[in-house]
Amino acid sequence: MIRTFLVFFVLISNVILAQNKLNLIPYPQKVESLQGEFIIPEKFVLSGDLPKEETEYFKKRIGSQFEFQYAQKSGGIHLTSSMIPPLSPADAEQKKEYYSIEISPNQIHVKSYTKQGYFLALQTLVQIIEQFKETKKIPAMKIEDQPKFAWRGMHLDVCRHFFTVDEVKQYIDYLAMYKLNTFHWHLTDDQGWRIEIKKYPKLTQIGSKRKESMIGAYVDNTFDGKPYGPYFYTQEQIKEVVKYAQDRHIIVVPEIEMPGHALAALSAYPELACTKGPFEAATKWGVFDDVFCPKDETFMFLENVLDEVMKLFPSKYIHIGGDECPKTRWKECAHCQELIKKNNLKDEHGLQSYFIHRIEKYVNSKGRKIIGWDEILEGGLAPNAAVMSWTGVNGGIEAAKSKHFAVMTPGAYCYFDHYQGDPQSEPNAFGGFTPLDKVYSYNPIPSELNAEQAKYIMGVQANLWTEYILDFKQVQYMIFPRLMALSEVGWGTSDPKNYKEFENRVINQFKVLDKMKVNYAKSIYNITGKVIPSNNGIAYELSTSQNSSGIRYTLDGTDPSINSKTYQNAVQIPNSLTIKSAYFEDGQLKSAVSTQQFTISKTTGKSISLEQQPSENYSFGGAFTLVDGIIGNVKQLGKTWLGFQGKDVVATIDFGQKTAFSEVYFNTLENKGSWIHLARSAKIFVSDDGKNFKMIKEIAAAEIQNAKGKVKLNVRTQNAKFLKVSIENAGIIPAGNPGADSKAWLFVDEIGVN
């Protein structure tokens, strides 16, 4: 059935909706300009039979600005409603988030099929009122709107760092503001178990605390020495949060990790492991070998846990993790090996599939479905499982092609623990580089899918892992404003070609966040630098969301002032130097000072090609990153490194003419906790024609290890037009290391010659 909700007001004027877009995020599917304008009264008169909870939420959102009065049907102030025959089940699902708003000179008229649609309309109405509150004149218009994707989600990890019930509620409010409808609550992991399970009290008595926490950059391997916890949510608190989300028409999807990421659980119940332990909740970040052992005792435990979880969470889907499960213990476990033989499984990957299938069968028996990270595809996907595609888009593609539903959440676009601005001016983050414009550019429907297969893409989600997020202020900083880009992508109205227009709407939304005292990132105000090839080597382009004429810069390493050089065109970088830049407005510094150091060699700015491309998460700048004159920071895996998982790096550089050199250098990383290993070997080749190459140097792993990844090779005097550098990936991570049996990462930076 359709209900028509009318908020009736009584003042009239005449204007036409301005040519500029409304400051709405996400932008509606259709906005039509009408004649006239609606004058915002000092007292809002609301119909007495509007949906109560949703209307009360609306009043709270704007209540500090206006008075409200309820009125029944009478005279010039009344609510009109109409009823139509009930929708078919198919239409009901499709139309449940539909709404329309018609603003005429004497009324605001809201239509929807459901309370959820009405609630979404109110979010739009709040933003419209916010935009026009100063003039008190809203242009007459009609909006018709509904989202493209059914799943528009945000994830929050409360295991690495914990957040209070009130903070989780604030998080849910942020989702509601921008029309997201799914809250993915990551409740268990190696570093902490955060949900009360009454049948297993030791999960929170023991598993909800750790003796200390890692601090600073991962490579520093330092700890704070402070006990963390016990931190967990009681079942009553869980119910409170679920109800709070339901009132905002948001589904809460709980995640209970299995079979990996289980150390906190094993610290409480070590008998569920393949070895005797003892175990403790992890104090550092990463992936660990000790996982749930697939024995009957373990499945009974997990089924009992899931029973309590499903009573607390009414969501259709239960997230069971399934990611990053090392097979080391399973390979060494007699029970696991016997299970593989007994069930004719191919290997330990088949055993993971067996594990997921068995859990899915149980969850299905309770009328629910499972969803898991894309590693649940290993060994064959469970019959009714949905996939959350995080390692890239391939998991979602594979799922959709096999008629399984998928949520797209690839790290390259949707991981909000990545840097969103220049890593040198941002708080410490996990790594990667995912600025606002990159989030906004994402299309959740992979081009590899046809129209029928695309129907299995449920939607899009962003994830916030909290290894480096110590408090809720930092949560706010990492999700805003990127959550706004995600919102519009999920709604289906994003247009990367008009990113600047979207950016202007974001800046206008900052006024609302300021009023709410949200600690959002101002990275879009800061200077963004991009290295480009030029006739003389390289040049450095500077840009900002503001007027570029406000950019000042220096080339001598000093901080810029209003009297420094004004940026006009890309700055030529003729030699090794440090450029500093900042944005000024009305004589005042408005941005952070951006610093970039350049180290110039004979390869800088030259043409370069790669035989294999880097992972999308770590591909900023592509092959040119290796000859852009910027030496990567070993503590920041942001935009200055290229990352390759399981792939060798084979780079060919064209000098353009024969060039003399006697030294070749390149940089790699080692961070085994993050599966990053130094190269196994490296070979240097030269050529005059780009086809016939001669090897001039080869080094083994020991030499690379001795150089700690900063490799400098004496190659005697060479004179060649082409240089090829082949750097061999470490391959499969050996037992005893985090991520054992998985493909190692190889991170490479600048390739230079002198």
Side-chain angles (χ1 to χ4, degrees):
M1 88 182 40
I2 182 168
R3 299 193 61 188
T4 304
F5 304 103
L6 174 61
V7 186
F8 191 81
F9 306 102
V10 287
L11 295 171
I12 301 176
S13 187
N14 290 293
V15 292
I16 299 176
L17 183 62
Q19 294 293 320
N20 295 331
K21 274 194 171 184
L22 297 164
N23 291 330
L24 299 178
I25 297 178
Y27 207 77
Q29 300 288 351
K30 182 180 179 182
V31 180
E32 178 186 354
S33 176
L34 302 176
Q35 291 291 324
E37 63 184 11
F38 173 80
I39 307 300
I40 302 175
E42 292 185 2
K43 181 179 290 186
F44 274 82
V45 182
L46 308 173
S47 171
D49 61 352
L50 292 171
K52 183 177 179 182
E53 291 82 3
E54 290 78 9
T55 306
E56 286 301 310
Y57 178 86
F58 170 70
K59 287 169 59 181
K60 288 177 182 176
R61 285 288 310 275
I62 62 170
S64 62
Q65 305 170 49
F66 307 101
E67 291 184 38
F68 291 93
Q69 176 183 324
Y70 281 101
Q72 302 300 322
K73 296 180 182 179
S74 63
I77 303 174
H78 62 275
L79 168 69
T80 60
S81 62
S82 59
M83 308 290 286
I84 61 174
L87 292 167
S88 68
D91 284 343
E93 183 63 28
Q94 184 181 8
K95 295 284 190 179
K96 67 180 181 182
E97 294 185 288
Y98 168 88
Y99 72 88
S100 72
I101 301 173
E102 186 167 342
I103 300 176
S104 64
N106 60 352
Q107 66 181 20
I108 297 176
H109 191 87
V110 178
K111 293 181 181 179
S112 69
Y113 289 95
T114 65
K115 288 184 177 181
Q116 184 176 5
Y118 173 69
F119 182 79
L120 294 172
L122 294 182
Q123 307 315 306
T124 300
L125 189 55
V126 167
Q127 291 188 27
I128 291 173
I129 292 170
E130 186 68 34
Q131 179 175 351
F132 296 101
K133 67 179 181 180
E134 298 299 327
T135 65
K136 295 188 180 295
K137 298 176 181 179
I138 301 176
M141 70 185 83
K142 183 176 181 181
I143 294 173
E144 286 193 88
D145 203 15
Q146 68 182 68
K148 179 177 181 179
F149 293 104
W151 186 303
R152 306 180 305 282
M154 272 297 301
H155 154 287
L156 180 63
D157 164 24
V158 296
C159 301
R160 279 51 177 251
H161 287 98
F162 182 79
F163 305 99
T164 67
V165 168
D166 285 343
E167 289 168 340
V168 172
K169 287 180 176 179
Q170 284 184 60
Y171 197 81
I172 289 169
D173 279 334
Y174 302 150
L175 273 59
M177 284 173 60
Y178 294 102
K179 300 189 176 77
L180 302 182
N181 64 0
T182 305
F183 172 46
H184 175 174
W185 205 356
H186 185 80
L187 290 164
T188 75
D189 215 303
D190 293 301
Q191 293 80 12
W193 184 282
R194 305 293 180 215
I195 175 173
E196 177 190 25
I197 302 297
K198 294 185 182 297
K199 191 174 183 67
Y200 301 106
K202 287 193 287 186
L203 286 171
T204 47
Q205 291 170 0
I206 297 173
S208 70
K209 54 189 177 182
R210 56 180 182 258
K211 68 180 181 183
E212 60 182 357
S213 302
M214 201 172 206
I215 55 173
Y218 191 98
V219 293
D220 291 340
N221 201 36
T222 57
F223 299 83
D224 60 9
K226 300 175 183 178
Y228 192 83
Y231 295 130
F232 64 93
Y233 305 101
T234 67
Q235 292 200 0
E236 288 306 308
Q237 289 174 321
I238 296 281
K239 292 175 184 175
E240 182 183 342
V241 169
V242 170
K243 175 64 165 60
Y244 190 85
Q246 286 175 330
D247 289 345
R248 286 147 184 79
H249 297 278
I250 290 173
I251 298 165
V252 184
V253 175
E255 181 177 358
I256 307 298
E257 275 276 14
M258 60 185 86
H261 289 290
L263 267 181
L266 298 180
S267 70
Y269 296 95
E271 63 272 18
L272 304 178
C274 291
T275 64
K276 294 181 179 179
F279 308 105
E280 63 177 11
T283 59
K284 64 190 306 183
W285 322 133
V287 179
F288 303 91
D289 285 342
D290 289 297
V291 301
F292 284 122
C293 186
K295 50 192 176 184
D296 289 342
E297 185 178 0
T298 301
F299 287 112
M300 183 177 295
F301 165 83
L302 290 172
E303 289 169 5
N304 289 334
V305 167
L306 289 170
D307 281 345
E308 295 194 31
V309 168
M310 287 186 282
K311 286 179 182 177
L312 294 168
F313 296 92
S315 57
K316 176 168 70 174
Y317 285 100
I318 303 296
H319 204 300
I320 50 84
D323 63 313
E324 299 178 324
C325 179
K327 310 301 187 290
T328 305
R329 296 291 183 256
W330 288 359
K331 285 184 176 181
E332 300 166 348
C333 172
H335 168 77
C336 293
Q337 293 305 307
E338 180 60 30
L339 199 58
I340 290 172
K341 292 178 183 177
K342 180 180 176 182
N343 290 277
N344 296 316
L345 305 176
K346 183 178 179 181
D347 53 17
E348 288 75 23
H349 295 289
L351 185 56
Q352 168 140 332
S353 180
Y354 166 87
F355 194 113
I356 300 300
H357 274 71
R358 186 160 170 177
I359 290 296
E360 186 199 45
K361 186 176 180 180
Y362 185 77
V363 171
N364 289 169
S365 75
K366 302 295 182 179
R368 308 294 187 90
K369 296 182 178 182
I370 67 166
I371 187 169
W373 305 110
D374 48 43
E375 287 95 331
I376 68 171
L377 289 160
E378 292 179 6
L381 188 57
N384 303 304
V387 170
M388 196 164 273
S389 190
W390 76 277
T391 58
V393 299
N394 289 337
I397 292 170
E398 183 179 341
K401 285 185 174 180
S402 59
K403 298 184 178 181
H404 284 264
F405 287 104
V407 175
M408 304 305 290
T409 178
Y413 298 91
C414 298
Y415 267 45
F416 288 1
D417 54 336
H418 290 179
Y419 290 102
Q420 57 190 312
D422 186 342
Q424 296 184 75
S425 58
E426 290 285 321
N428 192 33
F430 181 84
F433 182 59
T434 310
L436 182 68
D437 60 338
K438 187 167 186 181
V439 180
Y440 193 67
S441 72
Y442 183 55
N443 180 359
I445 303 293
S447 59
E448 294 86 345
L449 300 182
N450 61 35
E452 187 61 32
Q453 293 163 342
K455 294 177 182 178
Y456 289 93
I457 302 299
M458 291 192 288
V460 64
Q461 176 177 294
N463 300 322
L464 189 67
W465 303 99
T466 61
E467 289 94 336
Y468 301 96
I469 299 176
L470 306 183
D471 56 35
F472 194 67
K473 284 292 183 185
Q474 186 67 7
V475 167
Q476 295 172 332
Y477 186 91
M478 298 305 280
I479 67 171
F480 281 118
R482 290 184 287 191
L483 184 148
M484 299 181 197
L486 176 79
S487 163
E488 196 146 304
V489 167
W491 201 258
T493 52
S494 57
D495 182 1
K497 296 190 299 296
N498 292 322
Y499 168 73
K500 279 296 180 183
E501 183 277 325
F502 167 73
E503 190 175 67
N504 290 334
R505 284 187 279 129
V506 167
I507 291 170
N508 279 301
Q509 288 287 319
F510 285 168
K511 300 171 187 176
V512 177
L513 299 184
D514 285 334
K515 189 189 306 181
M516 297 170 63
K517 298 182 179 179
V518 171
N519 181 43
Y520 58 90
K522 300 179 178 64
S523 309
I524 60 174
Y525 289 124
N526 292 339
I527 306 300
T528 299
K530 181 182 179 182
V531 182
I532 59 172
S534 75
N535 293 334
N536 300 319
I538 58 170
Y540 198 45
E541 283 186 339
L542 301 175
S543 63
T544 174
S545 61
Q546 307 302 296
N547 189 336
S548 61
S549 64
I551 298 175
R552 303 290 187 269
Y553 71 94
T554 65
L555 298 176
D556 60 3
T558 61
D559 285 350
S561 69
I562 190 62
N563 298 316
S564 299
K565 291 181 181 178
T566 300
Y567 178 76
Q568 294 178 322
N569 299 302
V571 181
Q572 296 297 315
I573 309 295
N575 50 262
S576 298
L577 55 80
T578 297
I579 183 170
K580 290 191 173 185
S581 57
Y583 174 74
F584 290 81
E585 192 174 280
D586 298 327
Q588 300 296 314
L589 178 65
K590 289 292 185 178
S591 73
V593 174
S594 176
T595 302
Q596 187 57 68
Q597 184 175 347
F598 288 92
T599 302
I600 305 302
S601 88
K602 292 183 178 182
T603 62
T604 305
K606 302 303 182 185
S607 175
I608 181 172
S609 62
L610 291 170
E611 288 189 8
Q612 299 190 84
Q613 298 308 305
S615 165
E616 201 170 15
N617 288 17
Y618 300 98
S619 61
F620 184 84
F624 191 71
T625 299
L626 301 180
V627 291
D628 64 1
I630 297 174
I631 304 296
N633 187 328
V634 297
K635 295 184 180 182
Q636 295 173 332
L637 302 182
K639 61 180 185 177
T640 57
W641 292 89
L642 296 186
F644 302 77
Q645 188 174 26
K647 297 178 183 178
D648 299 338
V649 175
V650 182
T652 301
I653 299 168
D654 182 353
F655 292 108
Q657 61 185 14
K658 280 195 171 185
T659 300
F661 58 91
S662 59
E663 180 185 72
V664 177
Y665 65 84
F666 62 86
N667 297 316
T668 66
L669 279 180
E670 182 174 61
N671 186 340
K672 291 183 177 179
S674 297
W675 304 11
I676 302 170
H677 289 247
L678 291 176
R680 181 178 290 164
S681 68
K683 297 176 182 178
I684 312 298
F685 303 83
V686 292
S687 172
D688 289 334
D689 60 7
K691 298 178 181 178
N692 301 296
F693 284 87
K694 178 180 72 173
M695 187 172 72
I696 58 171
K697 193 76 173 182
E698 180 176 12
I699 60 170
E703 294 176 81
I704 298 172
Q705 187 74 47
N706 289 338
K708 296 182 178 178
K710 296 182 178 181
V711 178
K712 286 188 176 182
L713 301 172
N714 186 324
V715 294
R716 300 181 180 179
T717 301
Q718 302 293 326
N719 192 24
K721 186 173 183 291
F722 294 90
L723 171 73
K724 181 185 287 187
V725 179
S726 178
I727 307 171
E728 186 183 9
N729 190 291
I732 301 299
I733 299 173
N737 291 280
D741 297 323
S742 298
K743 295 176 182 177
W745 282 89
L746 172 62
F747 274 77
V748 177
D749 185 35
E750 204 71 2
I751 298 174
V753 302
N754 293 311

